[in-house]
Amino acid sequence: MPTIIRDTRFTKLKKHPVQQVGLVLLLLGFAVLIGMLSLGNYKLTPSIVEQSVADSAHQAVLKSYLEPLYDKPIDSDWALSGVLDEAFENANEQLGDKPIDDYWGRTYKTYLIKYSTVGLPAERPLLLFWLSIGLGILGGLLYIFPKLQLLPGIKNNHIFHSATTNRGWVGWLLGSFLILFYILLYFFPYYITTWMLICDPLAYWLKGSGATEWFFYGLLYTLAILVMGVRMMIKYRHSKYHKLRTGSVMFFQLAFAFLIPEFLVALNKPYYDLKNIWPLNYDLFFEYKIEEFLSSGTLGMFMLIWGIALVVLGVPLMTYFYGKRWYCSWVCGCGGLAETLGDPYRQLSDKSLKAWKVERWMVHSVLVLAVVMTAAVLITFFTGKSSLLGISSYDLRYWYGFGIGSIFAGVVGTGFYPLMGNRVWCRYGCPLAAYIGIVQRFKSRFRITTNGGQCISCGNCSTYCEMGIDVRFYAQRGQNVVRASCVGCGVCASVCPRGVLKLEDRGDGKARFGEVKF
């Protein structure tokens, strides 16, 4: 019978045999997931072209160029992608003023490659699903559960000597993979169609149609939060606050961000994450979304009013009573991933004054950009004019979506977890965090109070602050921590050995700006 080995301080767990098995299964599942991208062959048919190309004019022209390929085996998605690019280019010479643009070209290519797949991924998707994602979940849980034998809470057990948690080779490898994953997801989804195929059975069960790249991503995102949420529950099992907020982000991600939107699609209603608030949900006021809401009856109208009410009433009121934490640490999907998957990297956030200055300029600049972009979109919607001060509102929304929605939020925001900490997006790029932060800074009852006389300057609070706040600076002076960036995760209070810090939301408005309490 294997035994848990503890060191003399009961803080470090040497690898338990169950953990070793879990690690092997996790890596095996990961290897299968990567390896399946090279599986399968491809064969185009006329019906696949009809199924994949939505526009009738595009479809008619493309059929003539793709006809020589029908029923002929193609070895790889790379080869098929090259052939399709050539066909799109030739088709555009005939299509004139209605060409296949980048968006439709990427969409058509994704579906053409997905539905033309033959072989194991198309014939046995469930088998590959369990051999990859299923093994990964099982391995992750087996690796996590033996930690129940450890004392709860954060332990300074060599995190700065680990290749995983201190920008070592494992961290760089993981970061590189995450960055590559997001680049494929956003810009080259036709190279990950095998991952969509293995999710088809679940997608058909949930919403009655096949999986897209976003369904696959949403599923993976949700599973990451759930599995790593279990780790958080075990790690902070001594704290009711952390158990509740971890359970909260797991629930909101599973129910509000994943299941409910898919059920809405099954009911032929607009896909909508009810907890996603503008300007984080930056396409809320795009004309196609507004028209979709207005054409969906009472439910669609409710969604539109709900979205506006959250911005105008929900954020100010909730932030006044509970501070930024009500959303960033309890509800938000980005925050949920940061608090669970990103927790091992929270100590990597830059605490320097320079980083704080950069953070403030960047995050508020993104907020201003989101406001300007949305105003331009709404002016176009109500007036029909797409050019404002010589700038096209369509170009503005495209570049915002490309630069902020894809590159910043995805590639950098998550890909840089192992390199810059788990709140890169929240600190430097999230416009909603900037909006909530302004309310928190100037009009909220929430603050972290300090008992400066008890502080021993150990620095644990600053080390584990994921938002890069030098909490010790405030604690040493007995000042309340009232920072726009604080997400109220409460870890600083949990790691304090003297109970110096306390999260409070019952303030009377006094001593909000760092009044010395000695």
Side-chain angles (χ1 to χ4, degrees):
M1 185 70 180
T3 57
I4 300 295
I5 303 170
R6 306 180 190 197
D7 70 3
T8 54
R9 297 178 300 281
F10 290 88
T11 57
K12 182 183 177 184
L13 177 70
K14 296 179 180 177
K15 288 290 183 292
H16 188 280
V18 174
Q19 283 190 304
Q20 294 174 355
V21 172
L23 188 58
V24 170
L25 292 179
L26 180 66
L27 293 175
L28 188 58
F30 180 73
V32 173
L33 190 69
I34 299 300
M36 73 173 66
L37 291 177
S38 61
L39 293 178
N41 294 308
Y42 303 86
K43 190 178 287 185
L44 271 176
T45 65
S47 61
I48 290 174
V49 177
E50 292 169 6
Q51 182 183 5
S52 306
V53 181
D55 187 278
S56 57
H58 294 168
Q59 187 185 120
V61 177
L62 275 177
K63 272 187 172 180
S64 62
Y65 285 103
L66 294 176
E67 189 173 358
L69 296 175
Y70 290 160
D71 297 321
K72 292 180 180 176
I74 301 173
D75 293 336
S76 70
D77 50 1
W78 290 86
L80 181 53
S81 172
V83 171
L84 291 174
D85 279 339
E86 189 177 344
F88 293 163
E89 190 176 338
N90 292 329
N92 279 342
E93 293 179 1
Q94 290 191 30
L95 289 168
D97 60 351
K98 196 181 177 184
I100 302 172
D101 59 21
D102 289 342
Y103 171 79
W104 284 114
R106 189 165 58 243
T107 304
Y108 292 161
K109 219 168 17 168
T110 301
Y111 287 115
L112 285 167
I113 292 177
K114 179 187 174 187
Y115 293 125
S116 64
T117 305
V118 294
L120 195 59
E123 295 166 3
R124 305 295 296 274
L126 271 179
L127 174 66
L128 290 178
F129 179 89
W130 290 116
L131 287 177
S132 54
I133 295 176
L135 274 184
I137 295 171
L138 178 62
L141 292 175
L142 288 177
Y143 189 85
I144 290 168
F145 278 129
K147 293 179 182 289
L148 278 167
Q149 299 298 314
L150 289 174
L151 293 174
I154 284 180
K155 297 163 281 294
N156 297 304
N157 49 355
H158 303 286
I159 55 167
F160 288 111
H161 299 104
S162 166
T164 305
T165 57
N166 192 32
R167 304 187 185 100
W169 68 272
V170 177
W172 278 96
L173 200 62
L174 182 58
S176 301
F177 170 77
L178 288 172
I179 290 168
L180 180 61
F181 169 76
Y182 274 97
I183 290 174
L184 287 173
L185 178 72
Y186 282 115
F187 308 114
F188 307 98
Y190 36 87
Y191 292 131
I192 57 172
T193 55
T194 310
W195 291 347
M196 302 175 210
L197 280 171
I198 66 171
C199 296
D200 266 354
L202 179 61
Y204 276 107
W205 182 72
L206 281 176
K207 60 176 183 173
S209 59
T212 64
E213 67 270 33
W214 300 115
F215 182 89
F216 167 76
Y217 177 57
L219 176 64
L220 207 63
Y221 198 103
T222 303
L223 291 173
I225 288 181
L226 294 180
V227 172
M228 291 300 282
V230 172
R231 171 186 173 277
M232 288 290 286
M233 288 284 195
I234 292 174
K235 183 175 182 179
Y236 295 103
R237 61 188 182 278
H238 62 304
S239 167
K240 183 180 178 182
Y241 181 80
H242 290 302
K243 286 191 290 186
L244 283 174
R245 75 182 184 90
T246 302
S248 175
V249 295
M250 293 167 74
F251 166 75
F252 277 104
Q253 177 59 34
L254 177 62
F256 280 68
F258 184 64
L259 291 178
I260 291 176
E262 299 299 343
F263 290 151
L264 288 172
V265 172
L267 297 172
N268 203 26
K269 299 297 180 184
Y271 181 96
Y272 191 49
D273 178 353
L274 289 163
K275 65 172 180 53
N276 203 6
I277 304 174
W278 181 91
L280 178 60
N281 182 17
Y282 65 89
D283 64 351
L284 178 67
F285 298 111
F286 284 10
E287 67 266 31
Y288 79 90
K289 290 293 291 185
I290 295 178
E291 288 168 359
E292 193 179 19
F293 290 140
L294 296 178
S295 63
S296 299
T298 306
L299 182 60
M301 185 59 72
F302 166 77
M303 291 176 179
L304 182 57
I305 295 173
W306 173 260
I308 296 171
L310 282 177
V311 178
V312 178
L313 298 174
V315 167
L317 284 176
M318 292 295 286
T319 308
Y320 171 75
F321 286 110
Y322 304 109
K324 201 173 182 178
R325 57 177 167 165
W326 79 270
Y327 191 77
C328 297
S329 290
W330 288 70
V331 175
C332 179
C334 303
L337 192 71
E339 294 295 329
T340 52
L341 183 69
D343 180 69
Y345 306 104
R346 62 171 52 247
Q347 68 280 354
L348 298 180
S349 61
D350 191 341
K351 277 80 175 177
S352 67
L353 185 60
K354 182 180 179 182
W356 185 23
K357 290 179 179 177
V358 171
E359 169 193 321
R360 286 185 295 173
W361 274 103
M362 286 186 69
V363 75
H364 292 111
S365 297
V366 174
L367 175 60
V368 171
L369 188 56
V371 171
V372 171
M373 183 271 294
T374 303
V377 166
L378 287 173
I379 289 173
T380 299
F381 178 76
F382 286 112
T383 67
K385 295 180 180 177
S386 60
S387 181
L388 303 166
L389 302 175
I391 301 174
S392 167
S393 65
Y394 293 101
D395 288 343
L396 197 56
R397 77 183 70 179
Y398 170 79
W399 286 110
Y400 184 91
F402 174 80
I404 305 299
S406 302
I407 299 292
F408 208 157
V411 177
V412 176
T414 307
F416 279 57
Y417 272 11
L419 308 176
M420 295 178 65
N422 58 330
R423 287 279 189 173
V424 179
W425 163 245
C426 310
R427 286 185 69 184
Y428 299 99
C430 179
L432 179 57
Y435 171 33
I436 301 177
I438 291 171
V439 180
Q440 172 167 279
R441 180 66 179 84
F442 296 104
K443 204 67 182 175
S444 173
R445 302 196 308 177
F446 172 74
R447 81 285 310 275
I448 300 176
T449 57
T450 62
N451 179 4
Q454 293 295 315
C455 180
I456 57 173
S457 301
C458 66
N460 276 348
C461 50
S462 295
T463 298
Y464 290 102
C465 178
E466 58 192 350
M467 295 304 290
I469 300 172
D470 187 2
V471 183
R472 181 175 56 180
F473 174 89
Y474 296 90
Q476 288 172 329
R477 292 159 177 77
Q479 296 179 349
N480 293 337
V481 182
V482 185
R483 284 274 289 267
S485 57
C486 176
V487 293
C489 67
V491 168
C492 58
S494 296
V495 298
C496 178
R498 301 296 299 273
V500 171
L501 303 162
K502 186 178 181 182
L503 278 66
E504 294 189 39
D505 51 24
R506 298 173 183 172
D508 55 5
K510 297 179 180 178
R512 283 189 41 75
F513 300 101
E515 180 180 313
V516 177
K517 296 177 67 179
F518 286 121

